[in-house]
Amino acid sequence: IDRNRVAPGNATLAVQIDVQGADFTSLSKPDPANLIRSVNSASFPTAMGADSVGNIYFLGSSTGITKVAPDGVISNIPAPGSSIRGTLPIDAQGNLYVAVNTTPVRIYRVAPDGTQTQIGTPTDAVRSMVLSSRNELFLLHNSKVTKLQMDGTLSIVTTSGVNTPYSMTIDGHDNLYVQNQSGFTNPDGT
């Protein structure tokens, strides 16, 4: 789905989803015999993402970004070391976003050709990042969620419900979900 052509909100859109490598009841149980691609890597990936043309990206804490093309060709994209968890944000143009958690903390946009552009300097280490349909980058820190605009503007989204956070994800309506290491937060914030 092209997020630039479909506005966020409640809308009806005809789509066809072709699921391979998983049974129809649970996408968390892929059948290894039917996987389209598998990658063996010596590095421990901390985040992964996929772009609109079928490339899969793995982010290692010290190895940069590993790209696996639809034809199985593996290449490396030099990128700053990062320790974000969960999703590796990728925009519609194929730019990837990584956080470097050394002082000062820096957020980089990594273009498909490997060009790196610093787009922000949050004050706290980043645990996880997600990109909204409006190209807003949400950052999960130890005790808060912030929003980074592409012009570098940083604002606090919430401090509520961020208890020992581990990772974060976003759905098709731009709702954020934080995975805490302990405890939980109800949808109403309690």
Side-chain angles (χ1 to χ4, degrees):
I1 298 173
D2 182 353
R3 293 194 297 183
N4 290 324
R5 292 181 19 199
V6 179
N10 295 329
T12 302
L13 179 67
V15 296
Q16 177 180 346
I17 299 174
D18 183 18
V19 178
Q20 296 180 16
D23 66 305
F24 69 94
T25 59
S26 172
L27 294 178
S28 64
K29 296 181 179 181
D31 178 358
N34 293 327
L35 287 175
I36 297 171
R37 288 173 269 170
S38 64
V39 177
N40 293 324
S41 175
S43 68
F44 179 75
T46 59
M48 66 182 282
D51 65 19
S52 62
V53 296
N55 295 307
I56 299 174
Y57 300 87
F58 298 93
L59 178 64
S61 58
S62 62
T63 57
I65 299 169
T66 301
K67 174 184 173 183
V68 182
D71 62 3
V73 173
I74 299 172
S75 59
N76 291 311
I77 301 171
S82 181
S83 59
I84 63 168
R85 302 172 184 150
T87 302
L88 179 59
I90 304 169
D91 66 21
Q93 292 74 38
N95 297 307
L96 299 106
Y97 295 86
V98 297
V100 176
N101 285 321
T102 57
T103 304
V105 176
R106 297 170 312 282
I107 307 295
Y108 288 93
R109 178 177 43 242
V110 180
D113 67 1
T115 303
Q116 301 171 21
T117 305
Q118 182 176 314
I119 61 168
T121 54
T123 56
D124 300 321
V126 177
R127 292 181 167 267
S128 184
M129 300 189 305
V130 294
L131 191 66
S132 77
S133 63
R134 295 181 296 274
N135 274 345
E136 302 162 319
L137 194 60
F138 289 92
L139 313 175
L140 177 64
H141 307 274
N142 285 334
S143 61
K144 63 186 172 189
V145 175
T146 60
K147 177 171 57 175
L148 179 63
Q149 302 288 355
M150 293 302 132
D151 66 2
T153 304
L154 187 69
S155 59
I156 294 176
V157 174
T158 188
T159 58
S160 175
V162 185
N163 309 311
T164 61
Y166 184 79
S167 187
M168 177 172 59
T169 193
I170 192 167
D171 69 16
H173 296 286
D174 287 344
N175 295 307
L176 296 171
Y177 300 89
V178 173
Q179 175 189 6
N180 290 311
Q181 293 180 45
S182 60
F184 65 93
T185 302
N186 292 314
D188 66 1
T190 60

